[in-house]
Amino acid sequence: MSLAHAILASLVDSSCSGYDLAKRFDGSVGFFWQASHQQIYRELSKLDKLGWVISEIIPQQGKPDKKVYSVTKEGKLQLQEWIAKPCEPMPVRDDLLVKIFSGHIVSEHTILQELEHHRQAHIEKLSTYRDLEQKYFQNLQQLSDTAKFQYLTLRKGIRYETQWVDWCNEAIELLNKN
């Protein structure tokens, strides 16, 4: 996946400014595809040149003009083609797992601190996901098609974070038995 596809996915349902896209990105696609605001702006410029998005300047009173981006037919087609192509599962690249693999060369206290740090981060992310689930996905039978796909993505995030918390708890418990 490229940042271009993540941006197109974020814009396909509603147009917005680069600033609003970056904020939206942080609270949606950004949960599973990280990009800085600067990277998003650079990619928007490339997408504009490719004709996958267009921008419209909206004058504002007392503020700089706002540039609002929309996905073009070509951009939507590119996104549809990308979605239709099979993708391979992402390989695991995780610093913590490398540290754990070689954890025997440092004190258990060092590894336990690292595990607790990660456990807490995953607990916080899980809490965020559960709050989103409570706020936006109360009645699954009444979800729009768009919301169904967003919900499925959120459910994967919940399972991912739950699995990490469970694994951290298991690792901490095992190391504390010594």
Side-chain angles (χ1 to χ4, degrees):
M1 179 165 133
S2 70
L3 178 55
H5 296 108
I7 289 172
L8 290 172
S10 293
L11 283 174
V12 74
D13 289 324
S14 64
S15 305
C16 66
S17 70
Y19 175 77
D20 290 334
L21 175 64
K23 283 179 30 185
R24 182 189 299 170
F25 206 85
D26 288 342
S28 62
V29 174
F31 284 126
F32 48 88
W33 189 266
Q34 302 295 309
S36 70
H37 291 204
Q38 190 176 29
Q39 289 171 309
I40 291 169
Y41 281 107
R42 274 196 309 265
E43 197 66 28
L44 280 169
S45 178
K46 290 177 190 175
L47 293 173
D48 198 6
K49 288 177 185 164
L50 288 169
W52 295 5
V53 299
I54 56 170
S55 59
E56 177 185 0
I57 304 295
I58 308 293
Q60 299 188 103
Q61 295 269 359
K63 297 189 235 180
D65 293 344
K66 184 188 271 191
K67 197 175 201 180
V68 175
Y69 294 89
S70 302
V71 176
T72 63
K73 286 182 182 181
E74 178 65 25
K76 188 173 181 180
L77 180 63
Q78 288 294 327
L79 185 59
Q80 289 170 330
E81 287 177 8
W82 176 78
I83 290 170
K85 289 180 186 174
C87 61
E88 294 299 318
M90 293 295 295
V92 176
R93 292 180 60 188
D94 192 294
D95 292 349
L96 177 62
L97 295 179
V98 175
K99 289 180 179 188
I100 297 298
F101 185 80
S102 299
H104 64 281
I105 67 171
V106 297
S107 72
E108 283 187 8
H109 176 74
T110 299
I111 295 298
L112 285 167
Q113 282 183 306
E114 187 72 7
L115 283 165
E116 187 55 44
H117 168 74
H118 281 264
R119 186 176 83 83
Q120 193 57 43
H122 289 289
I123 286 171
E124 290 170 14
K125 184 75 77 163
L126 179 58
S127 177
T128 299
Y129 289 169
R130 292 216 183 271
D131 289 346
L132 289 169
E133 184 178 38
Q134 281 296 112
K135 186 174 181 179
Y136 297 109
F137 302 102
Q138 287 286 319
N139 190 339
L140 299 181
Q141 287 72 35
Q142 293 182 351
L143 293 179
S144 67
D145 286 344
T146 299
K148 285 177 188 175
F149 289 102
Q150 293 169 345
Y151 177 70
L152 288 171
T153 306
L154 179 63
R155 286 297 304 155
K156 176 59 178 158
I158 289 170
R159 286 181 175 207
Y160 178 83
E161 297 303 333
T162 299
Q163 185 275 329
W164 264 106
V165 171
D166 290 347
W167 180 82
C168 287
N169 288 337
E170 178 183 338
I172 289 166
E173 181 181 335
L174 178 66
L175 293 176
N176 276 328
K177 285 185 178 179
N178 293 337

